[in-house]
Amino acid sequence: MKTISCMKIDEQLLKSYSAEIKIYKEKESIFREGDSPSYYFQIMEGSVKVNNYNEEGKEFIHNILGNGQSFGDPLLFIDKRYPVNAIALKPTTVIRLPRKNFINLIKEHPHVSMEMNACLSHRLYFKMIMIQNMASHNPTARITGLFDYLKSYSDCNDSHSFYVKLTRQQIADLTGLRVETIIRTIKKMEKEEILKIHERKICY
């Protein structure tokens, strides 16, 4: 069985369990922190940002997801409310399946359940690695930990195949480093061939 980093269920299978297609406008909220999980969400086309804010109003971006990727699904298995927001970054088409129907789907299709377990385990593994690296005083280790975690959600396995969809400021916010440190460290990482810069875009 292939270990996948972000769940993708066949759209026809989702529709057979009464999934519906919903279109969100740019910057429109898909769900908010504190909402009860009601759907399995999978992106058909577009981009979604998963974030939250601290007590000072500072944004923390957990991930930016694209076509074929799911989000919010871990909360479907426990009686907890969302600790994050999901916001469309541009016009986005999502296929969503009601929670009860989703549970029935995975009960009746064991292979989907196994893939979901692999997906969640993979996410947890890279989350732990990221947290471990974030404790380092080495800026390269912090940035590498973040990039490895983000890359784990994609199907990019080769070096320099993953496009980091974050600004230098967002990387700084996520790693707790100054923007100047991020810029300097990324240049150093490029020289060491850990990543490549193409038209100011980071390829990891």
Side-chain angles (χ1 to χ4, degrees), residues 33 52-60:
E33 183 177 355
N52 63 359
Y53 298 88
N54 64 16
E55 295 178 353
E56 300 174 350
K58 185 176 181 180
E59 181 183 27
F60 184 92

Side-chain angles (χ1 to χ4, degrees), residues 97-116:
L97 181 66
R99 183 177 189 171
K100 183 179 179 180
N101 298 26
F102 171 75
I103 297 299
N104 288 336
L105 186 156
I106 62 173
K107 284 180 178 179
E108 295 169 10
H109 296 271
H111 73 282
V112 176
S113 180
M114 290 296 291
E115 289 177 357
M116 178 68 72

Side-chain angles (χ1 to χ4, degrees), residues 4-181:
I4 54 175
S5 55
C6 196
M7 194 65 195
K8 181 180 180 182
I9 301 175
D10 181 77
E11 291 175 7
Q12 293 304 316
L13 179 59
L14 290 172
K15 290 177 181 178
S16 72
Y17 279 80
S18 301
E20 61 181 6
I21 296 173
K22 187 169 176 59
I23 299 174
Y24 295 89
K25 299 176 182 178
E26 182 178 355
K27 298 183 180 179
E28 184 176 357
S29 174
I30 299 171
F31 60 72
R32 296 183 181 276
E33 183 177 355
D35 288 350
S36 295
S38 300
Y39 296 94
Y40 168 83
F41 296 97
Q42 188 167 293
I43 303 168
M44 298 179 71
E45 185 176 1
S47 182
V48 172
K49 174 173 67 174
V50 179
N51 76 343
N52 63 359
Y53 298 88
N54 64 16
E55 295 178 353
E56 300 174 350
K58 185 176 181 180
E59 181 183 27
F60 184 92
I61 298 173
H62 294 265
N63 218 326
I64 295 176
L65 303 168
N67 297 359
Q69 295 185 305
S70 62
F71 56 96
D73 28 307
L75 276 294
L76 296 173
F77 298 97
I78 58 177
D79 188 23
K80 299 290 184 182
R81 295 178 180 271
Y82 289 119
V84 293
N85 310 291
I87 302 165
L89 288 176
K90 57 184 178 181
T92 297
T93 303
V94 169
I95 185 167
R96 66 181 194 178
L97 181 66
R99 183 177 189 171
K100 183 179 179 180
N101 298 26
F102 171 75
I103 297 299
N104 288 336
L105 186 156
I106 62 173
K107 284 180 178 179
E108 295 169 10
H109 296 271
H111 73 282
V112 176
S113 180
M114 290 296 291
E115 289 177 357
M116 178 68 72
N117 288 335
C119 169
L120 297 179
S121 297
H122 204 60
R123 290 181 184 177
L124 179 60
Y125 170 78
F126 277 97
K127 189 77 169 181
M128 288 189 290
I129 296 296
M130 185 184 76
I131 291 172
Q132 185 177 28
N133 286 338
M134 287 299 181
S136 172
H137 294 293
N138 183 342
T140 299
R142 289 197 187 190
I143 295 171
T144 299
L146 173 63
F147 289 177
D148 282 340
Y149 176 65
L150 297 177
K151 189 172 183 176
S152 75
Y153 277 75
S154 75
D155 57 1
C156 303
N157 297 315
D158 297 333
S159 297
H160 312 142
S161 62
F162 175 66
Y163 165 44
V164 180
K165 300 177 182 178
L166 296 172
T167 65
R168 298 334 189 241
Q169 181 63 60
Q170 288 169 336
I171 296 170
D173 292 341
L174 284 166
T175 56
L177 299 169
R178 293 169 58 87
V179 176
E180 294 80 4
T181 303

